[in-house]
């Protein structure tokens, strides 16, 4: 599904990602952990195609195709979804209207007709229920005045609506209370199947109790310095990052 | 690959083209350029006007000749040479008394391009439409249906002939001849426009609509609209405007007078899309308009406007809240792009007790345009318990445009409550990326954000036109045009 080879990227003269290799196959869950500022969000932005970052070296393949030349919306059409660490506000645009536009623009790009209103409504109802979202919430302006947790839940609602092939969840757990975490995590699990893949970026083991990763990677200073299975996350929870940082500098 | 950086957005916006920029080759009768008493008499004669009307015009001309063009608005332009404009131009075959079948096919073709096929309009229940091309009114539909309710909706030239008592009584009472330079000019030379009278207690069953179009080169358009809502009546009125793309500047100086008698309500909506000039700032319409409404006791006037066109706009739809408990509202979206300049806003003059006004202004600036809001809230000494709420929001795209807010508040009564809120925001790269990430391309993303920003005002438009206005906003701000 996703293949990243020797990826170097940064902003202006500053390198942030310094040689990332990663392969994510359909049906897998990968967790990416790592200290603040190590480049996790940058990596997700670069995969999603944010133009602000310049790719100086390396390649990204999606389903075997180099996506270097694709704009962010084209990558989205190809099935990439990013649950933002900091979702932005769009005043005056309701969640429903936004999601509807997103779905129909994606369909348009694929040469499909707009989704019939009844089908759209049914889907909205279904997914709102899955994530225990009050439907009144959906008529509010996108992210405007949403609490931290509401923003994150809304991201996953959009993911549920868009049914991506590759979902990257950037600290979706931060800001969620204990119940919300369970609801959102269960929602994500229900959306998983053998044809899609999830990358979860997190600082905490508790999310990984629910969304169990097949692989765990540690990002430090723009590089993946350690990869392992879910046990690695437990080890990190216990020991912190210092031992890895030390290993990495040796 | 569409990507978003400030610079590219800038470029994209500059390539915007004007969709209605065609010129229709209709045989026209156009007066020689220049302005003097003879021309005014000739216009009046052409229109078969009674003596009193001719004299009224001459009087206005004398007043105008003594006046100086105003300088205070935050706009810069080359002043029109008033002797180099033709003050009368009419499609030759137009005759309001003929049926639609007699209308010049070229004209009909033009309406089609404007998206206002009259045939369709005829069928479309709920909207009566009057179309003014250059100086004359060429088609008024639905006249009969309206007449059954006693509603008069016709070209003002016709009203002068058929309903002189109403015209005489109200014309110039809200916007006096000497009100300002352009109002005086309009009073002297106005050639057509719409007249509307809603009798006492009647709720107008459909939207009344006027479509203005400047077609002929070197002409000015000076239309005059007079809407009278008698006691306890209601009317919703919409005007739309377009003009061909031309290198020279064209002048449009209209006057609109609204009169809401006791307990009446007038909703007046405008979708203005005059040619804004090209990307270098050449050409475009100068839109200098005086719009004012008078509210008697318990009455209400709402102005809603979506302004995307014109090279220079100078316009302040206002309400004189004369009667106690009367209500004035102003909802505006003004979009400027490239080199457009807009200085628009409103005046709310509170004279009566318990009068209330609301102002919601949304300015959107792109390119190198300048967008100014200028609002006056005036509360007279006798206006006990007057209330005003004003909100002015500006949205900027790129770094070369400007948004300016000039609120003036004059409260002479201590019980007045006046609130003013203002915000300025920018469309952020993060917002665009967020939309892109969800599969929405940059153009659509801008449209979405702009629509969201304008929602409070779009919601005030009659349903049929809200959709049209939304489209217009997209066209005005996007690179591609259909
Ligand atoms: N647009 C930018 N401009 C300047 N510096 C940036 C930009 N984006 C990222 N950086 C820098 O790159 C480094 C990596 O940032 P990134 O947001 O990817 O970290 P992260 O691993 O997601 O951290 P956190 O765990 O705190 O979310 C940081 O030092 C950050 O300051
Ligand atoms: Mg981060």
């Amino acid at each position: 599904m996703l293949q990243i080879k020797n990826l170097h990227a940064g902003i202006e003269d500053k390198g942030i990602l310094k040689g990332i290799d990663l392969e994510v196959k359909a049906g897998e869950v990968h967790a990416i952990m790592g200290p603040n500022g190590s480049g996790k969000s940058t990596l997700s932005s670069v995969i999603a195609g944010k133009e602000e970052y310049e790719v100086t070296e390396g390649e990204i393949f999606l389903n075997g195709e180099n996506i270097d030349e694709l704009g962010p919306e084209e990558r989205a059409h190809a099935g990439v979804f990013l649950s933002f660490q900091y979702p932005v506000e769009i005043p005056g645009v309701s969640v429903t209207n936004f999601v509807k536009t997103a779905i129909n623009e994606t369909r348009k790009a694929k040469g499909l007709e707009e989704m019939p209103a009844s089908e759209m409504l049914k889907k909205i109802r279904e997914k709102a229920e899955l994530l225990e979202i009050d439907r009144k919430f959906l008529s509010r302006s996108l992210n405007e005045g949403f609490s931290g947790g509401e923003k994150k839940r809304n991201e996953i609602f959009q993911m549920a609506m868009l049914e991506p092939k590759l979902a990257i969840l950037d600290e979706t757990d931060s800001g969620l209370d204990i119940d919300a975490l369970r609801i959102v995590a269960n929602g994500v699990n229900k959306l998983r199947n053998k044809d899609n893949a999830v990358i979860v970026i997190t600082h905490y083991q508790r999310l990984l109790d629910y969304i169990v990763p097949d692989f765990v990677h540690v990002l430090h200073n723009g590089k993946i310095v350690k990869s392992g299975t879910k046990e690695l996350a437990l080890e990190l929870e216990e020991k912190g990052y210092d031992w890895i940082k030390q290993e990495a500098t040796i | 690959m569409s990507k978003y950086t400030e610079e590219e957005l800038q470029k994209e916006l500059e390539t915007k083209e004007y969709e209605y920029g065609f010129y229709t080759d209709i045989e026209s009768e156009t007066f020689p350029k220049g302005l003097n008493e003879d021309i005014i008499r000739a216009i009046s004669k052409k229109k078969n006007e009674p003596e009193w009307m001719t004299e009224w015009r001459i009087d206005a001309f004398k007043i105008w000749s003594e006046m100086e063009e105003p300088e205070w608005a935050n706009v810069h332009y080359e002043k029109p040479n008033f002797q180099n404009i033709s003050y009368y131009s009419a499609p030759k075959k137009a005759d309001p008394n003929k049926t639609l079948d007699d209308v010049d096919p070229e004209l009909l073709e033009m309406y089609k391009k404007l998206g206002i096929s009259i045939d369709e309009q005829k069928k479309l229940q709920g909207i009566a439409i009057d179309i003014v091309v250059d100086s004359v009114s060429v088609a008024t539909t639905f006249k009969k249906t309206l007449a059954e309710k006693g509603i008069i909706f016709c070209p003002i030239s016709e009203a002068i002939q058929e309903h002189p008592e109403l015209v005489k009584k109200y014309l110039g009472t809200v916007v006096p001849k000497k009100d300002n330079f352009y109002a005086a000019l309009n009073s002297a030379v106005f050639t057509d426009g719409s007249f509307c009278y809603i009798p006492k207690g009647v709720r107008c069953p459909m939207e009344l609509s006027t479509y203005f179009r400047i077609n002929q080169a070197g002409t000015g358009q000076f239309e005059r609209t007079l809407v009278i809502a008698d006691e306890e009546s209601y009317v919703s009125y919409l005007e739309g405007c377009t003009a061909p793309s031309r290198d020279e500047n064209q002048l449009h100086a209209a006057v609109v007078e609204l009169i809401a008698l006791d307990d009446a309500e007038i909703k007046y909506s405008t979708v203005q899309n005059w040619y804004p000039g090209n990307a270098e700032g050449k050409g475009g319409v100068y839109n200098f308009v005086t719009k004012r409404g008078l509210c008697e006791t318990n009455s209400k006037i709402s102005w809603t406007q979506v302004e995307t066109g014109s090279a220079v706009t100078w316009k302040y739809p206002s309400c004189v809240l004369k009667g106690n408990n009367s209500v004035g509202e102003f909802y505006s979206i003004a979009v400027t792009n490239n080199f457009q300049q807009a200085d628009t806003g409103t005046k709310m003059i509170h004279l009566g007790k318990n009068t209330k006004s609301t102002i919601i202004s949304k300015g959107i600036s792109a390119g190198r345009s300048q967008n100014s809001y200028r609002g006056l809230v005036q509360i007279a000494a006798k206006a006990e318990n007057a209330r005003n709420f004003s909100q002015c929001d500006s949205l900027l795209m790129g770094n070369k445009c400007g948004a300016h807010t000039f609120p003036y508040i004059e409260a002479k009564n201590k019980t007045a409550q006046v609130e003013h809120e203002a915000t300025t925001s920018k469309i952020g790269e993060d917002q665009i990326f967020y939309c892109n990430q969800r599969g929405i391309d940059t153009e659509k993303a801008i449209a979405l954000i702009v629509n969201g920003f304008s929602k409070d005002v779009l919601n005030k438009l009659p349903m049929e036109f809200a959709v049209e206005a939304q489209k217009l906003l997209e066209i005005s701000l996007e690179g591609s045009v259909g």
Side-chain angles (χ1 to χ4, degrees), chain A residues 140-184:
Chain A
R140 282 175 59 181
S141 285
L142 187 71
N143 292 323
E144 200 182 28
F146 286 15
S147 74
E150 285 168 342
K151 283 185 185 169
K152 296 304 173 69
R153 197 187 294 215
N154 176 44
E155 292 290 288
I156 301 306
F157 170 69
Q158 293 181 42
M159 170 185 156
M161 290 296 294
L162 289 162
E163 300 178 331
K165 287 264 169 293
L166 173 70
I168 306 165
L169 313 184
D170 191 357
E171 296 197 25
T172 299
D173 52 338
S174 67
L176 291 175
D177 66 41
I178 300 160
D179 292 334
L181 181 70
R182 185 177 34 81
I183 293 162
V184 165

Side-chain angles (χ1 to χ4, degrees), chain B residues 17-23 110-116 211 213-215 241-245 273-275 308 468 471-472 475 481:
Chain B
E17 279 176 49
Y18 184 65
E19 195 183 26
Y20 300 104
F22 57 87
Y23 162 75
M110 179 170 93
Y111 298 152
K112 239 186 238 148
K113 279 193 210 161
L114 293 170
I116 42 167
Y211 212 96
R213 165 98 185 150
I214 301 178
N215 195 48
C241 324
T242 62
S245 310
N273 185 24
W274 297 117
Y275 179 54
T308 65
E468 200 173 306
K471 265 194 250 153
L472 196 57
I475 291 169
V481 176

Side-chain angles (χ1 to χ4, degrees), chain A residues 50-51 69 71-73 76-77 80-82 84 88-93 98 102 105 142-143 155 158, chain B residues 1-5 429-431 433-442 444 448-449 451-453 455:
Chain A
K50 191 165 188 176
E51 314 280 346
E69 287 297 313
E73 71 274 17
H77 299 156
V80 175
F81 179 91
L82 173 58
F84 284 77
V88 302
E89 297 180 1
I90 305 187
V93 177
F98 184 76
E105 287 296 301
L142 187 71
N143 292 323
E155 292 290 288
Q158 293 181 42
Chain B
M1 186 168 120
S2 84
K3 58 181 203 172
Y4 174 82
T5 63
E429 291 185 25
D430 285 345
Q431 282 175 315
F433 176 61
Y434 189 89
C435 294
N436 288 163
Q437 207 301 304
R438 299 300 190 248
I440 302 166
D441 68 21
T442 300
K444 188 81 190 169
L448 198 67
I449 294 165
N451 273 327
F453 173 77
K455 198 171 95 183

Side-chain angles (χ1 to χ4, degrees), chain B residues 93-113:
Chain B
K93 293 178 192 165
D95 177 350
N97 296 320
K98 284 185 183 170
T99 68
L100 278 172
D101 303 332
D102 299 325
V103 175
D104 187 338
E106 299 261 1
L107 257 180
L108 289 179
E109 193 53 35
M110 179 170 93
Y111 298 152
K112 239 186 238 148
K113 279 193 210 161

Side-chain angles (χ1 to χ4, degrees), chain B residues 316-445:
Chain B
Y316 317 91
S318 307
C319 295
V320 180
L321 304 171
K322 180 171 160 235
N324 294 343
N325 313 315
S326 58
V327 177
E329 294 176 337
F330 174 76
Y331 302 106
S332 167
I333 302 169
V335 181
T336 53
N337 196 353
N338 294 319
F339 287 86
Q340 277 177 275
Q341 306 176 59
D343 194 294
T344 135
T346 185
K347 288 185 212 168
M348 292 292 173
I349 315 289
H350 293 253
L351 302 176
K353 294 187 178 111
N354 306 316
T355 46
K356 225 169 82 179
S357 62
T358 305
I359 298 169
I360 311 274
S361 162
K362 304 273 180 179
I364 301 156
S365 341
R368 293 164 182 272
S369 66
Q370 296 296 325
N371 203 327
S372 304
Y373 166 82
R374 190 183 300 278
L376 169 67
V377 176
Q378 200 175 53
I379 295 179
K382 286 186 183 150
E384 293 287 324
N385 295 318
R387 273 187 295 160
N388 162 267
F389 174 75
S390 303
Q391 187 183 327
C392 303
D393 299 323
S394 308
L395 187 66
L396 298 172
M397 298 189 203
N399 297 321
K400 293 181 190 144
C401 53
H404 316 272
T405 305
F406 305 99
Y408 304 93
I409 298 166
E410 295 170 12
K412 296 209 178 94
N413 185 306
K414 279 200 214 102
T415 62
Q417 287 180 41
V418 180
E419 271 178 84
H420 180 90
E421 287 175 9
T423 66
T424 300
S425 49
K426 262 184 92 162
I427 291 191
E429 291 185 25
D430 285 345
Q431 282 175 315
I432 301 277
F433 176 61
Y434 189 89
C435 294
N436 288 163
Q437 207 301 304
R438 299 300 190 248
I440 302 166
D441 68 21
T442 300
E443 281 197 2
K444 188 81 190 169

Side-chain angles (χ1 to χ4, degrees), chain B residues 63-83:
Chain B
I63 292 169
W64 177 75
S65 312
E66 310 267 289
M67 290 175 110
E68 299 254 351
E69 209 175 338
E71 300 264 6
W72 48 269
N74 191 26
V75 294
H76 306 275
Y77 59 95
E78 203 182 309
K79 295 212 168 122
N81 176 352
F82 295 98
Q83 297 305 336

Side-chain angles (χ1 to χ4, degrees), chain B residues 120-140:
Chain B
E120 261 173 50
Q121 292 287 358
K122 269 206 294 190
K123 284 177 217 145
L124 211 136
Q125 276 297 322
I127 303 161
I129 189 160
D130 184 21
I131 299 166
V132 179
V133 176
D134 292 335
S135 303
V136 292
S137 186
V138 286
T140 308

